[in-house]
Amino acid sequence: MKVASTILLLLAGLLHAAPRPNIVLIMADDLGFSDIGCYGAEIETPRLDALAKEGTRFTQFYNTAKCHSSRVSLLTGLYCDQAGAGSLSRGATIAEALNPSGYHTMMVGKWHLEKQPTDFGFQRYWGHLSGATNFFTGDDTFRLDGKNWTVPSELKGRPFYVTNANVDFAIDFLNEKQNSDAKDDPFLLYVAFNAPHYPLQAPKEAVVKYQGRYDEGWDVLREKRYQRQLDSGLITERHKLSPRPSHVPAWDSLSEKDQKWQSRRMEVFAAMVDVLDQNVGRLVDHLKKEDLYDNTVILFCSDNGACPFDRTRGKDKDPWDPESYWCYDTGWAHMGNTPFRLYKQNQHQGGISSPMIARVPPSMLTVAPVPKVTEPGSPIRRNTPQGTITDQPGHLIDFMATFLELSGARYPEKIGERTIDPLQGKSLVPILKREARKGHEQLYFHFGTDRALRQSDWKLVSAKGGRWELYDLANDPTEVNDLAKANPERVARMSKEWFRVATDVDRLPSNQLKPATKHIKALFKKKKGNK
């Protein structure tokens, strides 16, 4: 085994004259498309904005619209059930692929799959195996390198808070690596924040910072986010602002008491994102301090769109009280996914569109000008004062192929008793270099009874098993003009292909292969104001 690893390492060295880059992959949890500053938010995220200014923002980067399935695809380069879902029985992780080629592999944060990261190639791990946890007191699933870890009341001289602890341990792991025999090895660090997933909990000082900022309500603030997106060049006039759905009440229809409660909830969400951004900054500062930053690729994304499910308990308790359990609901989630429609779980753009920032070492960038690439409206790249923007589509399944190209590692065909499915994703490296890449011929989406298929700029989508809808994303990227009735043959052809992929590739069980109904289903009960 050591001989094979040495040969792979030597081959990788021959393929990469320059040192192979370190890779830092950061995933936020339940963060909507517009929930950070450089994507239109009023939330203060200066450290992510700085990475965006130095790097590239994607306008069409996709997740799977759900926490656990996005993690499967991010780790394996496969669709969720194709990889064996949480068991990963047909998938190899990015750590298992890169480790044999000499990469030191580390993870902190939320796992949300079966077993533990240390069972799937990660040499170091701290975090929680659960899908959500109390941010102040944690739960009984916390692990350190495969062993139980008891959550303390304080860590590093301050009250324990999961978002801070993620980066505390990430820095510890990096320091321990740099002081070991692995000092000169490139590394993969996967940071899986649980923020801003519910429960909405944040330190008091972080929440107080945002007091009053959401009193204008979701209607006015959504319009402001949309205008910032247009003004910054993130989106174009083709992106019509999708209308407020009937299940979201007009802000002005709410009572003063209800408006105050709704504002408070969003203040806490904003505080959680703010603290997340501060910790991204701490990590970046550490990389710079240790002279690692200049050879590090940093990728930031979200696992799904903003979450519409209100499961609030302990409403009477302040959000810095560990016994609180606040959530927000559809009004703020609709704003979080500006300018798109629908939410987490849905395969409409609001559910699957992720903010995605890619910062790469300057040596990786294409220096020579590319004809027609820098023109306004170019899908390859647009240069703005806030950084480069690309409209080229990408997906979480592309990370594996990207890391294989960056590292020179080989995609495994078998790991132990697991036979690994052929890689589904395609490398993002050309886009990271600000070049054009040959994209996917099609992308498949699925969660529960929510489905979609994208072929070129055509997208077929169904929510909760309802009627198929059809959109031309080139002219209607926010899905406001359903063309299904005008294009029955395309709908039939694309729906047949969705079922083929679902059956033959993703291996869905029969209960998830029921035909779509003839009517669009109402997803939520219509809400009325209570003035």
Side-chain angles (χ1 to χ4, degrees), residues 68-294:
H68 86 275
S69 53
S70 281
R71 282 159 174 73
V72 173
S73 290
L74 173 149
L75 286 166
T76 66
L78 304 174
Y79 295 127
C80 178
D81 289 80
Q82 178 188 15
S87 71
L88 304 182
S89 59
R90 294 185 289 267
T93 70
I94 49 178
E96 290 173 311
L98 268 60
N99 197 288
S101 71
Y103 269 71
H104 189 77
T105 56
M106 303 165 283
M107 176 184 171
V108 295
K110 170 175 166 175
W111 178 238
H112 204 192
L113 305 175
E114 296 177 20
K115 297 184 179 179
Q116 302 185 41
T118 47
D119 296 316
F120 292 99
F122 286 98
Q123 295 163 280
R124 305 299 310 276
Y125 172 67
W126 176 88
H128 55 101
L129 307 180
S130 55
T133 190
N134 188 298
F135 281 83
F136 297 112
T137 60
D139 57 33
D140 61 3
T141 72
F142 277 76
R143 301 289 185 268
L144 174 59
D145 296 335
K147 297 179 180 179
N148 289 356
W149 190 84
T150 302
V151 176
S153 58
E154 290 190 355
L155 185 68
K156 303 288 186 181
R158 59 179 170 178
F160 180 84
Y161 186 68
V162 171
T163 306
N164 294 333
N166 283 323
V167 174
D168 288 339
F169 275 93
I171 290 173
D172 284 349
F173 289 170
L174 287 168
N175 284 337
E176 290 166 18
K177 172 198 173 296
Q178 291 306 105
N179 291 311
S180 73
D181 292 340
K183 181 183 188 306
D184 295 325
D185 294 343
F187 65 81
L188 165 69
L189 172 62
Y190 170 34
V191 181
F193 286 113
N194 195 199
H197 192 291
Y198 62 81
L200 301 183
Q201 297 174 324
K204 183 176 181 179
E205 63 274 14
V207 178
V208 169
K209 176 179 178 179
Y210 286 92
Q211 282 184 352
R213 295 204 194 183
Y214 293 93
D215 291 353
E216 290 180 287
W218 47 62
D219 290 327
V220 170
L221 291 171
R222 187 168 185 260
E223 290 277 357
K224 289 185 175 182
R225 286 193 177 192
Y226 176 64
Q227 193 59 51
R228 279 192 290 269
Q229 291 173 335
L230 288 171
D231 292 345
S232 69
L234 180 70
I235 62 174
T236 69
E237 297 292 344
R238 295 181 299 110
H239 293 75
K240 304 301 180 187
L241 183 62
S242 58
R244 173 170 41 80
S246 61
H247 59 259
V248 175
W251 182 261
D252 290 343
S253 72
L254 302 179
S255 68
E256 185 176 344
K257 179 181 178 182
D258 223 15
Q259 287 180 347
K260 183 61 179 175
W261 163 238
Q262 296 289 2
S263 294
R264 289 195 71 198
R265 298 205 272 187
M266 188 60 202
E267 290 165 6
V268 187
F269 181 93
M272 295 174 76
V273 177
D274 190 310
V275 174
L276 183 155
D277 181 76
Q278 293 175 40
N279 278 282
V280 170
R282 287 178 59 213
L283 182 56
V284 168
D285 288 346
H286 183 77
L287 294 172
K288 291 179 177 178
K289 176 174 172 285
E290 297 299 320
D291 293 325
L292 297 169
Y293 184 75
D294 288 343

Side-chain angles (χ1 to χ4, degrees), residues 279-502:
N279 278 282
V280 170
R282 287 178 59 213
L283 182 56
V284 168
D285 288 346
H286 183 77
L287 294 172
K288 291 179 177 178
K289 176 174 172 285
E290 297 299 320
D291 293 325
L292 297 169
Y293 184 75
D294 288 343
N295 191 41
T296 299
V297 172
I298 301 176
L299 303 169
F300 174 87
C301 64
S302 177
D303 62 350
N304 46 250
C307 178
F309 307 120
D310 186 359
R311 295 160 177 164
T312 296
R313 306 190 300 271
K315 179 179 177 180
D316 58 318
K317 300 181 185 300
D318 288 319
W320 46 87
D321 184 332
E323 295 185 11
S324 67
Y325 196 100
W326 291 14
C327 307
Y328 69 16
D329 61 9
T330 54
W332 294 122
H334 181 56
M335 182 185 78
N337 295 329
T338 305
F340 301 119
R341 292 176 51 215
L342 300 186
Y343 320 96
K344 174 180 179 178
Q345 294 195 2
N346 308 129
Q347 305 300 314
H348 287 70
Q349 297 292 87
I352 62 175
S353 295
S354 168
M356 163 66 169
I357 299 169
R359 181 270 171 194
V360 302
S363 59
M364 277 184 59
L365 298 178
T366 299
V367 178
V370 181
K372 300 184 179 180
V373 164
T374 56
E375 292 180 357
S378 166
I380 300 170
R381 75 170 190 243
R382 303 192 300 280
N383 297 324
T384 76
Q386 292 78 39
T388 298
I389 297 168
T390 181
D391 295 328
Q392 296 183 78
H395 192 289
L396 292 175
I397 59 173
D398 294 335
F399 284 148
M400 171 68 88
T402 303
F403 298 169
L404 294 175
E405 182 171 350
L406 291 173
S407 66
R410 182 175 60 85
Y411 184 70
E413 297 179 358
K414 195 173 182 65
I415 296 178
E417 299 300 315
R418 289 147 55 208
T419 299
I420 309 304
D421 254 36
L423 185 59
Q424 194 72 233
K426 302 185 68 170
S427 176
L428 296 166
V429 168
I431 305 179
L432 303 188
K433 291 182 174 181
R434 300 178 182 172
E435 300 171 350
R437 81 158 180 174
K438 184 179 180 182
H440 294 272
E441 291 184 4
Q442 65 183 27
L443 286 168
Y444 158 92
F445 302 88
H446 157 260
F447 175 76
T449 53
D450 285 89
R451 309 161 172 172
L453 186 75
R454 175 168 177 167
Q455 294 179 337
S456 184
D457 289 321
W458 288 98
K459 182 181 172 188
L460 189 72
V461 60
S462 164
K464 305 304 176 191
R467 176 177 67 75
W468 287 110
E469 304 163 44
L470 181 68
Y471 298 99
D472 173 11
L473 298 182
N475 298 299
D476 180 24
T478 55
E479 301 173 321
V480 296
N481 183 23
D482 181 7
L483 302 175
K485 291 182 179 179
N487 295 271
E489 292 182 359
R490 183 178 293 276
V491 170
R493 185 168 63 251
M494 290 182 69
S495 61
K496 182 179 179 181
E497 176 62 8
W498 186 90
F499 279 104
R500 184 196 69 78
V501 177

